[in-house]
Amino acid sequence: MSVSAEDRGPVRAGAPASGFGEVRVVVAPAEAAARNLLDLLAAGAPAEQLAGQPARSRAGGAGGAEAAWIEETTEVALSVRRVLDQYRRREAELVALFDTASDLAGLRDLDAVLRAIVRRARTLLGTDIAYLTLNDPVAHDTFMRVTDGSVSAAFQQLRLGMGEGLGGLVAQTARPYASTDYRTDRRFRHTGAIDDGVAEEGLGGILGVPLRVGQEIIGVLFAADRGPREFTPDAIALLGSLADHAAVAIDSARLMEETRSTLSRLEAANATAHAHSEALHRASDAHDRLTKLVLRGAGIDDVAAEIAALLGGGVAVHDTDGSELARSGTGPVTPSAESLAASQTDGRAVRADSVWTCAVLAGTEALGSIVLTGRDDLTEADRRLFERAALVTALLLLMRRSVAETEDRVRGELLDDLLVDPAASARWDGDSLTLRARRLGVDLARPHSVAVLDCEAALRPRLADETARKARGLGGLAGTRHGHVVLLAPGDRPGALARSLSADLARTLNTPVTVGASGPGHGPEHLAALHTEALRCLTALHSLDRTGEGADIADLGFIGVLLGDRSDVGSYVDRVLGPVLAYDSERGTELVRTLRAYYDHGGSLSRAKDALHVHVNTVVQRLDRVAQLLGPDWNTPSKALETHLALRLHRLTRHPPTAP
């Protein structure tokens, strides 16, 4: 069987011939070229190798229609190569987008998310720089948030108003915009700040796409080159896809950050609530403990010790006049006037020099103060606890005052009965009064003094309260009688008692207090007379312009001798002339006789020396000695009157007149 050349087709050149009529196949240049193009496509050869195929075929002898066919086939192969390249690029972009989504999904910190977005955008698009701006809803503009590849500080701090520049237009319109060379592109509204930043960075081609969350535009993602660049639709779509992923990641990171912030605030609020609850529980427990102490009848000392234990410091409680009522865990300490005044005004504890002071108040009335030492600083809870302790202390002081007022009323009633003149009351019973007094701790068998006190009318109620407090301290009685405050106290020195009361109460009330006193007396039957004498002494002090002083009858000199019911002439003479009398007695001098002659002759030295039959210098020397003994003011009018009267009384007591 033979086969014609036409039936066999082309013969492949170089094929071996068969002795038995084997077919010799010769391949045409067109077929060889097609097979070579397919091999190159399968091997992924570059486009340059594909494009060189027509030249290689012509070199192999192809020509005419065959060469034209080879060129067309090469164009088809190049087109296939471009499609394959596009598919591979798309595949790489999709892989990159999936990787980006995976990377972004693993990020929780917003700053890290933004940096990852910008870095991936620069890598995917192969640009010199990538950056991201976020919208500011308050300022109504968009500001530079993150950059990658930027070298200009001015560019990194740009803010773009809505509609300004390429980025401002993207943020305003929510559409992507690209510029081949922004510096010469007049489609955008240029501003000096934007153009200066772009010029300093050296940018040319810029692409910007919106970051969109739902219908809200939150910012713009950019890719740019430092030279002109034409951004293809594929590049725009790629950056847009990255922006979509980025927007979701930004929103998720923002929500996560807000959630963490909310959780942090909730934890802080929970901690605050827990601390507040603990503080309330502690304060309530402390209040219950202190209140139970008060209700059980505990004293100020017990309450002070409990407060010191609760606050871990030393505590001192003071009365309104600053006197200490109780102290625990600290040495003597006095609240400063400034701190106490500030605490009374604000109702809060005040710190000064590591000492906390809190006024003890009943409404607006000051009952005293409480001082805390050993605590340089107090938490708000401890400060409130200290102030609550002051309230409990106020409760205790009010209860004590109520008891004291009841006791003072009983004591005042007894004092009223004691000051009744026994001769004026048929029902007066000294034994009964003595028994009542003994029940209140007053022993009338001891010597007692009576003081009558007076001050300006508006402060007399306070004077009565303070005098009652003094009476309790002295172990006596106090009350009000005929508009004056009266004090009965044990003691045999009425003058000293009067002066002490006047000075102490004047400081407490900040006003002059006049005190007239009399005594001492034994037994209830003498107290009415002592009261009458003390009242006369008080009247005399006012009459002598000695308001604000304290004195007894003896302190009034000869006036006291005239006013007193129990005038002690000998004591008066000794008080006025005692030093002179003692001097004459010890030395045998005649100072008293010289003084008598001097006064009897009207203070004339010459007539006195004649009466004494001595030289005038002797009289002068004797009077100088008197001045040394009685004081330099011995011859002033008031003292001269006292001295002359004492000389007369001395003469009368030594030589009493005889009956005719």
Side-chain angles (χ1 to χ4, degrees):
M1 177 180 181
S2 63
V3 180
S4 66
E6 290 77 10
D7 293 332
R8 291 194 300 266
V11 178
R12 182 179 300 174
S18 172
F20 300 98
E22 293 175 344
V23 179
R24 186 167 176 258
V25 180
V26 179
V27 180
E31 181 182 354
R35 290 182 61 84
N36 189 47
L37 287 173
L38 290 174
D39 290 340
L40 290 174
L41 285 174
E48 290 78 5
Q49 291 188 19
L50 293 173
Q53 184 60 47
R56 288 193 296 273
S57 296
R58 282 194 296 271
E66 191 175 40
W69 183 86
I70 293 173
E71 287 182 0
E72 291 177 1
T73 304
T74 301
E75 288 298 326
V76 172
L78 287 172
S79 177
V80 171
R81 173 57 194 265
R82 283 194 294 271
V83 171
L84 291 175
D85 286 345
Q86 186 176 6
Y87 285 157
R88 280 195 292 270
R89 186 171 62 252
R90 272 294 184 187
E91 181 181 2
E93 290 174 355
L94 287 174
V95 171
L97 286 175
F98 284 128
D99 290 343
T100 299
S102 177
D103 293 344
L104 294 179
L107 295 175
R108 291 295 180 264
D109 180 64
L110 181 59
D111 287 336
V113 168
L114 297 180
R115 286 192 297 271
I117 290 168
V118 172
R119 190 179 305 113
R120 189 59 61 91
R122 182 184 178 197
T123 302
L124 288 178
L125 272 75
T127 55
D128 296 326
I129 180 174
Y131 51 99
L132 183 147
T133 63
L134 292 180
N135 290 357
D136 187 342
V138 177
H140 300 292
D141 63 4
T142 182
F143 61 95
M144 194 72 69
R145 184 67 170 82
V146 180
T147 64
D148 189 71
S150 171
V151 295
S152 168
F155 182 78
Q156 295 167 14
Q157 298 173 8
L158 276 179
R159 294 189 75 99
L160 293 75
M162 292 298 179
E164 293 179 353
L166 186 149
L169 190 59
V170 174
Q172 183 183 53
T173 63
R175 294 172 57 190
Y177 280 91
S179 175
T180 302
D181 190 349
Y182 176 79
R183 288 170 292 184
T184 60
D185 197 334
R186 295 303 162 192
R187 293 178 299 158
F188 308 104
R189 178 153 51 111
H190 290 256
T191 66
I194 298 174
D195 286 353
D196 291 344
V198 170
E200 187 171 317
E201 192 65 59
L203 299 183
I206 300 175
L207 169 62
V209 295
L211 294 170
R212 188 193 310 271
V213 176
Q215 299 300 317
E216 180 187 4
I217 304 302
I218 63 172
V220 180
L221 179 62
F222 296 87
D225 269 348
R226 290 190 175 89
R229 173 170 174 173
E230 184 76 35
F231 289 97
T232 65
D234 289 343
I236 297 174
L238 176 60
L239 192 61
S241 298
L242 183 60
D244 291 339
H245 284 84
V248 173
I250 290 173
D251 190 51
S252 299
R254 183 178 289 173
L255 290 175
M256 186 66 69
E257 190 170 290
E258 290 176 357
T259 302
R260 283 198 300 267
S261 177
T262 301
L263 287 175
S264 178
R265 288 196 299 270
L266 287 174
E267 289 176 359
N270 185 53
T272 301
H274 181 71
H276 185 61
S277 176
E278 288 291 327
L280 286 177
H281 177 73
R282 182 166 175 251
S284 177
D285 179 62
H287 186 268
D288 290 343
R289 290 167 61 180
L290 293 173
T291 304
K292 288 177 181 178
L293 276 178
V294 174
L295 295 178
R296 285 203 308 265
I300 293 290
D301 291 331
D302 299 321
V303 172
E306 187 68 25
I307 296 171
L310 286 170
L311 292 173
V315 171
V317 182
H318 298 86
D319 207 341
T320 51
D321 61 354
S323 59
E324 185 180 284
L325 299 177
R327 176 159 44 94
S328 177
T330 183
V333 57
T334 303
S336 69
E338 295 79 6
S339 298
L340 185 55
S343 180
Q344 288 174 349
T345 301
D346 300 338
R348 300 293 306 276
V350 177
R351 178 177 177 268
D353 299 328
S354 300
V355 175
W356 288 88
T357 301
C358 190
V360 178
L361 303 172
T364 58
E365 180 186 0
L367 302 177
S369 63
I370 181 170
V371 174
L372 175 66
T373 63
R375 290 290 303 270
D376 291 338
D377 196 12
L378 287 179
T379 63
E380 185 62 24
D382 282 349
R383 180 172 177 171
R384 291 183 180 276
L385 179 56
F386 182 45
E387 293 164 355
R388 188 180 291 260
L391 292 176
V392 174
T393 304
L395 174 63
L396 178 58
L397 293 180
L398 283 174
M399 292 177 64
R400 286 188 53 182
R401 187 171 74 175
S402 178
V403 172
E405 287 174 350
T406 302
E407 184 178 338
D408 289 342
R409 186 164 55 252
V410 174
R411 288 173 173 270
E413 292 171 354
L414 173 61
L415 181 62
D416 263 345
D417 294 341
L418 288 171
L419 298 183
V420 172
D421 187 354
S425 175
R427 293 185 299 174
W428 192 88
D429 184 352
D431 293 337
S432 174
L433 292 173
T434 301
L435 181 60
R436 287 170 59 191
R438 188 178 296 119
R439 288 172 180 168
L440 294 176
V442 178
D443 183 6
L444 295 179
R446 297 172 57 193
H448 281 71
S449 298
V450 176
V452 180
L453 303 90
D454 190 28
C455 69
E456 59 178 282
L459 293 176
R460 282 174 187 161
R462 281 195 62 198
L463 176 63
D465 292 340
E466 294 297 329
T467 304
R469 189 174 60 81
K470 286 282 188 182
R472 290 192 295 272
L474 295 171
L477 304 173
T480 303
R481 188 170 179 81
H482 304 315
H484 291 100
V485 179
V486 181
L487 170 70
L488 172 67
D492 56 2
R493 299 175 59 197
L497 174 66
R499 288 187 290 274
S500 174
L501 288 173
S502 176
D504 292 346
L505 294 174
R507 277 195 302 271
T508 301
L509 301 180
N510 197 27
T511 189
V513 177
T514 310
V515 183
S518 178
H522 297 265
E525 63 274 8
H526 300 297
L527 298 181
L530 292 180
H531 172 254
T532 302
E533 189 172 281
L535 186 58
R536 281 203 297 267
C537 181
L538 177 69
T539 304
L541 287 172
H542 285 308
S543 300
L544 294 172
D545 292 331
R546 293 175 62 180
T547 297
E549 297 184 23
D552 64 351
I553 286 292
D555 293 330
L556 298 181
F558 74 93
I559 294 177
V561 174
L562 298 175
L563 295 176
D565 290 335
R566 303 167 295 107
S567 301
D568 187 352
V569 175
S571 297
Y572 175 71
V573 172
D574 285 341
R575 189 165 60 253
V576 178
L577 294 176
V580 176
L581 294 172
Y583 194 89
D584 278 353
S585 175
E586 293 172 1
R587 292 171 174 77
T589 55
E590 294 186 340
L591 296 182
V592 173
R593 182 168 171 259
T594 302
L595 269 175
R596 190 180 300 121
Y598 176 73
Y599 282 123
D600 287 348
H601 291 85
S604 172
L605 293 175
S606 60
R607 284 187 288 172
K609 62 98 175 171
D610 291 339
L612 295 170
H613 305 290
V614 297
H615 194 273
V616 67
N617 289 340
T618 302
V619 177
V620 172
Q621 291 172 0
R622 290 177 180 177
L623 294 180
D624 287 343
R625 178 64 63 185
V626 169
Q628 294 175 7
L629 295 172
L630 299 183
D633 60 343
W634 71 276
N635 204 23
T636 59
S638 60
K639 284 293 186 73
L641 178 60
E642 294 270 0
T643 306
H644 197 186
L645 178 60
L647 287 169
R648 291 293 185 93
L649 293 174
H650 177 255
R651 186 172 185 179
L652 288 173
T653 55
R654 288 187 60 191
H655 306 286
T658 57

